Amino acid sequence: MKKLKKLLSLLLVLILILGCALTSKQEVSAKTKKLFTSLIQKSNPYYNDRVKEGMAVAYKVKLKSKTIIIHGSLSDFDEGETTNIGVHTYKLSSEVKYIARGGEAPDQEFSKKDFKKYLKKVKDSSLGLVLEFKKSKVSKVIISS
């Protein structure tokens, strides 16, 4: 009986750990169309103020071959809700577009390589980073003023 209780306790702990690990990733539902955040580094004096105000912030963004990884928080355009600060991973569409947008100028489309360079330049600019989704995958990654 004691062995059974220990086994059940261990199983319960493992389930709790697994549940926490799975909920730390942001999943995109089919109804989510756009997420946004602001590019700002933790070392920026305004970073903590923005976090306290509940604003979405991204202090690190990585573009991988099939995913985009955002360290920080994101807001939903439709719902207005902001995620907790953490690591958020999203799948990229095979036809994803990388765009810079601002003012009255037309959108400027980048190759992935050039977009990574641009992203590095503006990582602490407070510019907006927008993810647009189609069929639960990122179809556009936009840096916007």
Side-chain angles (χ1 to χ4, degrees), residues 79-133:
E79 308 281 328
E81 295 177 9
T82 302
T83 64
N84 289 329
I85 291 194
V87 179
H88 306 278
T89 303
Y90 303 99
K91 291 182 181 181
L92 298 172
S93 163
S94 60
E95 299 170 5
V96 65
K97 294 183 189 239
Y98 302 97
I99 299 168
R101 176 179 291 163
E104 294 181 22
D107 287 355
Q108 181 179 354
E109 195 167 333
F110 289 86
S111 68
K112 188 175 198 172
K113 182 180 177 183
D114 288 340
F115 191 80
K116 282 182 177 182
K117 289 178 189 175
Y118 181 58
L119 188 58
K120 195 172 187 176
K121 284 183 187 178
V122 299
K123 69 182 181 183
D124 194 32
S125 64
S126 295
L127 288 174
L129 178 70
V130 179
L131 304 180
E132 289 188 11
F133 293 85

Side-chain angles (χ1 to χ4, degrees), residues 6-117:
K6 283 185 181 181
L7 182 61
L8 288 174
S9 296
L10 180 61
L11 185 59
L12 182 61
V13 169
L14 289 174
I15 289 171
L16 287 172
I17 291 171
L18 181 61
C20 289
L22 291 176
T23 57
S24 68
K25 289 188 177 182
Q26 174 70 11
E27 291 295 324
V28 178
S29 66
K31 70 176 186 172
T32 302
K33 294 184 174 85
K34 287 185 187 179
L35 297 176
F36 68 93
T37 189
S38 179
L39 298 169
I40 187 165
Q41 299 294 288
K42 283 184 173 182
S43 58
N44 188 310
Y46 298 107
Y47 174 85
N48 287 327
D49 293 336
R50 290 190 178 188
V51 171
K52 286 177 189 171
E53 292 170 10
M55 296 175 71
V57 294
Y59 56 89
K60 186 176 183 181
V61 178
K62 288 184 181 179
L63 273 171
K64 300 285 188 171
S65 62
K66 295 184 180 184
T67 60
I68 184 168
I69 304 165
I70 298 171
H71 296 251
S73 57
L74 295 110
S75 288
D76 185 305
F77 266 99
D78 296 328
E79 308 281 328
E81 295 177 9
T82 302
T83 64
N84 289 329
I85 291 194
V87 179
H88 306 278
T89 303
Y90 303 99
K91 291 182 181 181
L92 298 172
S93 163
S94 60
E95 299 170 5
V96 65
K97 294 183 189 239
Y98 302 97
I99 299 168
R101 176 179 291 163
E104 294 181 22
D107 287 355
Q108 181 179 354
E109 195 167 333
F110 289 86
S111 68
K112 188 175 198 172
K113 182 180 177 183
D114 288 340
F115 191 80
K116 282 182 177 182
K117 289 178 189 175

